[in-house]
Amino acid sequence: MSKHSHDHVHSCVSLVPIFNHLEKEQMDEISATAHTRRFKKGELIYQPLDESDSLYIVHKGFVRIYRLTESGKEQLVRFLGPGDFTGEMALFRSSLHDSFAEATRDTAVCVITKDELQPLLAAYPAISLKILAEFSNRLEQSERQTTIVATEKVEIRLAMFLVELLEEGSNIATLPMTKKDLASFLGTTPETISRKLGAMEDRGLIRHISNREIAIMDADELLLG
């Protein structure tokens, strides 16, 4: 591996919360097992029935994870940005992927296979605990999404999603996805999302700063629908 490639992989591994608590020597050991793969916008990283045998860490770019319903509609599961990862179930058991992972722009991913990483999990139990914590976070996020989608009114689904995006002390919600993907995530249509956002802005509850940034002017009133 060239010095450039090694530095690239090391910086990729160091982005990830499940690894970035480790000592430099331990980080070097993990970096030595990883290799980089690059994907063009629209390329699939994996798809259903592909063997799930690797951990994928996003270094640059974005990846969307989605499933297809029985009727063929896309259901967005989550978005991954730099430092996020997918494929972690492969570290504990052999299985097949049940979803699609698609690069939404040119993307670089660090890949560590199960066979390479399992010995490190045994050597450094703290990594396993961090992965379990991430499982817990994702379960909580999934439950929140289920709650949002189960809410009857689209306005409330959208309002809950926007308020969830707010960082403490800020009133700016930065959308992590396109309106099409947001519609998929909330179980509605892009046209409905645009219409509801327009209505919220007309009522003075939100203000569009840019295509992806929305200022929440009155979160309490927004959540009342």
Side-chain angles (χ1 to χ4, degrees):
M1 181 184 294
S2 69
K3 183 180 186 302
H4 175 76
S5 298
H6 180 272
D7 290 345
H8 181 281
V9 170
H10 192 283
S11 63
C12 180
V13 169
S14 66
L15 284 173
V16 192
I18 60 172
F19 296 137
N20 62 13
H21 61 288
L22 298 174
E23 300 294 332
K24 181 181 182 302
E25 293 76 13
Q26 299 168 348
M27 195 88 74
D28 287 343
E29 195 172 348
I30 292 171
S31 297
T33 69
H35 60 277
T36 301
R37 292 180 61 189
R38 301 181 188 279
F39 298 88
K40 295 289 187 184
K41 179 180 178 180
E43 274 193 280
L44 290 178
I45 296 167
Y46 59 73
Q47 58 189 318
L49 302 185
D50 284 352
E51 186 178 2
S52 176
D53 63 355
S54 299
L55 180 72
Y56 299 88
I57 304 166
V58 180
H59 185 222
K60 293 181 179 177
F62 287 91
V63 174
R64 68 187 189 112
I65 310 294
Y66 67 93
R67 297 189 178 100
L68 293 181
T69 65
E70 290 184 3
S71 63
K73 287 184 62 178
E74 288 184 8
Q75 175 60 58
L76 185 69
V77 177
R78 62 181 180 273
F79 253 81
L80 307 178
D84 294 329
F85 59 89
T86 183
E88 64 280 353
M89 292 302 294
L91 305 180
F92 300 99
R93 60 180 172 84
S94 297
S95 62
L96 301 177
H97 287 292
D98 63 358
S99 56
F100 296 84
E102 178 191 354
T104 61
R105 63 182 67 174
D106 289 356
T107 297
V109 177
C110 294
V111 183
I112 309 175
T113 67
K114 176 178 66 176
D115 291 342
E116 291 168 322
L117 193 51
Q118 278 188 336
L120 298 174
L121 295 180
Y124 309 122
I127 299 174
S128 297
L129 293 176
K130 288 278 188 177
I131 292 174
L132 289 174
E134 179 62 22
F135 283 162
S136 176
N137 290 339
R138 290 189 181 179
L139 179 60
E140 185 179 345
Q141 290 169 4
S142 178
E143 288 173 346
R144 279 205 302 269
Q145 183 189 358
T146 300
T147 300
I148 290 173
V149 173
T151 304
E152 288 186 11
K153 292 176 66 177
V154 175
E155 293 94 326
I156 301 299
R157 297 184 217 169
L158 182 56
M160 290 174 67
F161 179 83
L162 292 175
V163 172
E164 283 278 344
L165 292 176
L166 294 178
E167 299 286 344
E168 188 173 351
S170 171
N171 74 324
I172 307 299
T174 302
L175 296 179
M177 58 189 82
T178 65
K179 286 180 182 175
K180 177 184 175 184
D181 285 324
L182 178 56
S184 170
F185 191 69
L186 296 180
T188 185
T189 65
E191 294 76 18
T192 299
I193 292 291
S194 294
R195 191 166 63 250
K196 297 301 181 185
L197 287 173
M200 289 173 178
E201 189 157 29
D202 289 343
R203 292 173 59 197
L205 301 177
I206 67 170
R207 178 170 57 83
H208 280 84
I209 298 173
S210 66
N211 195 37
R212 289 289 180 93
E213 289 188 321
I214 297 174
I216 309 298
M217 311 308 293
D218 190 334
D220 292 337
E221 188 68 24
L222 186 63
L223 290 170
L224 289 175

